[in-house]
Amino acid sequence: MTSLNGARVLVTGASGRIGPVAVAHLRAAGAQVTTLSIQENPGLEAERVLLGDTRSQEDVRAALEGADFVVHLAALAHRDIAPPYDVYSVNVVSTFNVLAQAGAAGVGRAVVAGSINAYGLPMNRHDVTPAYFPLDTDIPVDIADWYSLSKHHGEGTARMAWRQWGIDVVTLRFPHVHDEHALMAQSKQLEADPRPGLREAWSYLHTEDAARAIVLALTATTTGAHAFFLAANDTIAPYRTEAMLEAFAPAAPRLRRFVEREVPIDLTPARSSSASRRTAACPCRRSTSRPSSGDPHNGDPARSSDP
């Protein structure tokens, strides 16, 4: 495993939700961090804090000066955050610009913030159900929105950059990532009606664990361009996974059975890869709720206090 002590790391999109936490973890590991963000964050601490646009060749070139590693987090991170053209073009051009310039400059490794939306179903406007459970990176893709398309194409860009310039790229397919307070609020919503979480497999991740995964992906020994699903080990909805699948996706094949609230995503590739050997499926620092024997149809779980 590569050490980050003294390494120079560029973090794009460092003013976002994951960015400041990732920067803090990188600096704690001994890295010298340059950040490139389009918006100022007064609380952001790094060796170099730059304002700029990841679509700009000049801004990215300046930010990459001397970099050994890249963490690319910059994106418009939702379908509805901006007009479709802006969401797609910002995400696709930024990823291409950052990886192409990093590869051409001889940077050896990049970690990219991907998304569970790369397979297309979470934001799909049609009445669709995953082809099977657990979700994995081979699951059939059905894309009907511009954000998901941009994240899907980002993984293709990563493979191109590796083939063209030899830069190793790890794309982390993040689920919903937030702090404990927001995750608890989401858990309460899904307690009342779990159905909206089906196509994301009721997955979630704490921002601290997302940052830990980024550090581990940077220091991994894997080569090539790979995408990994990340999630907490348990689901965010307070029901047993088998009961939810039976209630909301009875026709979807299950390739195996799930224990208690085990998240129905195949995390084996990430767990077995040195990309995140210890926390690829890093559980949140606090579980959203304990397992329930309640009925997910009527939102009536057995009540218990949080651990």
Side-chain angles (χ1 to χ4, degrees), residues 5-289:
N5 190 29
R8 292 163 294 185
V9 182
L10 167 63
V11 180
T12 72
S15 292
R17 183 177 300 168
I18 300 174
V21 185
V23 168
H25 278 254
L26 288 165
R27 297 184 77 208
Q32 299 177 28
V33 178
T34 293
T35 64
L36 177 63
S37 307
I38 201 165
Q39 293 181 337
E40 187 175 1
N41 183 340
L44 190 62
E45 295 184 4
E47 279 62 40
R48 286 201 304 163
V49 177
L50 305 178
L51 290 179
D53 191 333
T54 47
R55 293 170 295 177
S56 163
Q57 289 181 291
E58 293 76 17
D59 290 351
V60 170
R61 185 179 303 115
L64 276 168
E65 184 178 349
D68 302 303
F69 300 98
V70 168
V71 176
H72 178 50
L73 305 178
L76 291 176
H78 195 277
R79 177 193 62 195
D80 302 327
I81 201 170
Y85 178 86
D86 293 341
V87 171
Y88 180 79
S89 62
V90 166
N91 292 352
V92 171
V93 172
S94 292
T95 301
F96 176 84
N97 188 32
V98 170
L99 292 183
Q101 289 208 52
V107 173
R109 191 173 194 85
V111 175
V112 176
S115 172
I116 191 173
N117 290 279
Y119 93 107
L121 266 66
M123 294 185 181
N124 199 304
R125 66 185 183 89
H126 300 284
D127 185 16
V128 290
T129 300
Y132 53 78
F133 290 94
L135 306 185
D136 60 26
T137 53
D138 293 323
I139 200 163
V141 172
D142 183 1
I143 293 175
D145 74 277
W146 40 94
Y147 174 70
S148 300
L149 184 63
S150 75
K151 303 313 283 187
H152 183 74
H153 283 171
E155 294 183 9
T157 300
R159 287 188 290 273
M160 179 281 297
W162 167 58
R163 294 291 288 167
Q164 177 67 28
W165 293 288
I167 182 173
D168 297 320
V169 185
V170 174
T171 299
L172 302 176
R173 284 190 177 185
F174 288 123
H176 178 64
V177 177
H178 222 307
D179 60 24
E180 184 173 332
H181 177 76
L183 292 173
M184 290 295 293
Q186 184 186 21
S187 180
K188 288 294 185 183
Q189 292 175 350
L190 292 173
E191 181 178 1
D193 180 13
R195 185 183 297 274
L198 170 66
R199 296 190 290 192
E200 295 184 47
W202 301 285
S203 58
Y204 71 103
L205 198 65
H206 195 287
T207 47
E208 290 285 344
D209 293 320
R212 289 165 56 211
I214 288 168
V215 171
L216 288 169
L218 271 188
T219 57
T221 57
T222 53
T223 59
H226 303 280
F228 295 98
F229 275 111
L230 294 185
N233 288 322
D234 60 346
T235 64
I236 195 165
Y239 302 98
R240 289 186 171 88
T241 302
E242 288 289 335
M244 291 195 293
L245 291 175
E246 188 62 35
F248 303 117
R254 287 174 234 172
L255 306 185
R256 62 178 178 82
R257 294 294 171 178
F258 303 99
V259 178
E260 295 293 344
R261 285 177 51 211
E262 178 186 359
V263 68
I265 296 178
D266 184 10
L267 301 172
T268 305
R271 286 179 176 140
S272 61
S273 169
S274 59
S276 353
R277 186 177 304 278
R278 288 175 292 167
T279 61
C282 37
C284 282
R285 297 183 177 277
R286 186 181 295 270
S287 177
T288 53
S289 61

